[in-house]
Amino acid sequence: MNQPSSNTQSYFDLHTSGIGYLQRVRMVPVRGGRRSEPFLACTIAALVGPAKDSTLRYFDLKVSGADAKTLVQRYVGVADPNLRPLVRFRLGDLWGDAYLRTSGEREGEPAGSLKGRLLKVELIDRAELAQIEQHELITRGIGYLNRIKNVSPKNGDPFLSCTIGALAGPVEEPEYRYIDTIVATTDAQHLVRRCVEAVEAQRKVLIAFRLNDMKTDPYIRTKGERAGEADLSLKSNLVHISLIKVDGKQVYPAVAQVPASEDDLPIEGSGQSGVSDDAPTSEPAPSEMEGQVQSDEPAMATSF
């Protein structure tokens, strides 16, 4: 892989931001010897959807930012729901953790939690909620586009879907977070449809994306060596695409032609870290979307 230049980031950022309630602040012990120190952790119940009928998405987080630690530390052991503060937050390194329930009426069923690192957090006045009509839970990053499909559910309206292999971690050795998305806006649908031919030809289609409402879809594996184990898919709504590169070449937004003498100059498309053309084409993690019938892809009039 090509080494990133001095003016590019050394990490692929996958950040999620929103508003929610800070709760379950605690110190988590670490096993492994005398030098192992406990770390500060918390749960954030993030608000998403219409203010009059919002949903909570729970994130189990390790507190990493220095300022975040200072604020969160004050709430260690606070259990009274009326004392849980309302916060604006940003977290990184999002991932999903699947498990089987071990007790209760749903014992043996698969479940999943969203995890990550709490980078920034600030207190906000609860009066601010009265001014919000729609809560958004936004995830931003870059990743490879895969599995573009028209989906026709048995009960519901047809929709366009795709899978994003989001990049996270060091540029030299990134990890992938596979996210199944519904393409929720007209502009994003138009851009995704223009990528169908390139994706089907197994070209590397890299996008800078914005998602809304991250959640988990847990299930039990039914095949292979891990049959019977709990697993999950990350799911969200794709609402915006700000950059598209096909095999390393920027195709959206359109790049103005440069003089021949400047052909060797690199094009910085988004301010994000560069990705080598040698980067592998990401393959989506298995996902079980029951009750859905996939239709044929539409004809492409203006593909990239």
Side-chain angles (χ1 to χ4, degrees):
M1 175 175 285
N2 297 335
Q3 293 296 321
S5 61
S6 59
N7 65 339
T8 58
Q9 299 177 6
S10 58
Y11 284 83
F12 291 113
D13 292 329
L14 182 62
H15 287 167
T16 300
S17 58
I19 290 176
Y21 295 98
L22 180 67
Q23 56 193 54
R24 294 190 65 233
V25 180
R26 70 271 185 199
M27 299 301 298
V28 178
V30 178
R31 300 176 182 176
R34 296 180 179 178
R35 294 185 178 181
S36 298
E37 296 182 356
F39 63 87
L40 183 63
C42 68
T43 296
I44 286 184
L47 294 160
V48 64
K52 294 182 179 180
D53 188 25
S54 58
T55 300
L56 294 176
R57 303 281 184 234
Y58 293 92
F59 293 86
D60 192 18
L61 305 170
K62 179 179 181 180
V63 185
S64 296
D67 291 341
K69 289 180 180 179
T70 300
L71 188 152
V72 173
Q73 182 78 39
R74 306 203 306 252
Y75 295 92
V76 171
V78 174
D80 187 346
N82 296 320
L83 299 179
R84 293 171 181 170
L86 182 67
V87 297
R88 180 177 287 106
F89 65 87
R90 186 171 78 192
L91 62 91
D93 297 339
L94 179 73
W95 59 286
D97 184 27
Y99 58 94
L100 290 175
R101 298 181 185 273
T102 57
S103 61
E105 296 180 356
R106 301 176 64 185
E107 181 178 355
E109 293 184 10
S113 61
L114 291 165
K115 298 196 173 187
R117 295 187 301 116
L118 183 59
L119 305 176
K120 291 188 176 182
V121 63
E122 63 178 0
L123 298 174
I124 60 175
D125 195 310
R126 294 185 182 231
E128 186 173 333
L129 288 180
Q131 304 174 11
I132 300 175
E133 296 182 357
Q134 185 81 17
H135 293 287
E136 293 189 329
L137 180 60
I138 298 298
T139 300
R140 293 178 172 87
I142 63 174
Y144 290 100
L145 190 62
N146 288 279
R147 297 182 66 201
I148 303 171
K149 304 172 186 176
N150 281 320
V151 180
S152 298
K154 292 181 179 179
N155 299 310
D157 297 328
F159 59 87
L160 181 66
S161 72
C162 65
T163 297
I164 298 173
L167 293 158
V171 169
E172 295 81 4
E173 195 174 355
E175 297 179 356
Y176 290 95
R177 305 284 189 261
Y178 296 102
I179 308 169
D180 294 331
T181 74
I182 294 174
V183 189
T185 63
T186 301
D187 289 346
Q189 290 168 2
H190 174 70
L191 291 171
V192 169
R193 291 186 191 280
R194 293 181 67 186
C195 295
V196 169
E197 290 183 1
V199 170
E200 290 182 343
Q202 298 185 348
R203 300 174 70 184
K204 300 178 183 68
V205 181
L206 182 76
I207 66 172
F209 59 82
R210 186 168 79 234
L211 309 176
N212 191 14
D213 189 10
M214 186 67 67
K215 54 189 174 183
T216 64
D217 183 21
Y219 59 92
I220 296 179
R221 288 179 175 267
T222 58
K223 299 179 181 179
E225 296 180 355
R226 297 178 60 188
E229 294 184 11
D231 206 342
L232 59 77
S233 297
L234 294 175
K235 293 186 179 292
S236 193
N237 298 314
L238 176 58
V239 296
H240 184 69
I241 296 173
S242 60
L243 174 76
I244 303 175
K245 289 186 177 183
V246 178
D247 292 337
K249 180 180 179 181
Q250 182 173 320
V251 296
Y252 176 84
V255 180
Q257 295 295 322
V258 295
S261 60
E262 297 181 9
D263 283 350
D264 293 336
L265 294 178
I267 297 173
E268 297 296 337
S270 67
Q272 296 284 353
S273 304
V275 178
S276 166
D277 291 345
D278 296 330
T281 301
S282 57
E283 292 296 332
S287 174
E288 298 182 358
M289 301 176 69
E290 297 181 0
Q292 298 176 347
V293 180
Q294 300 165 8
S295 61
D296 294 333
E297 295 292 352
M300 300 301 298
T302 54
S303 300
F304 290 123

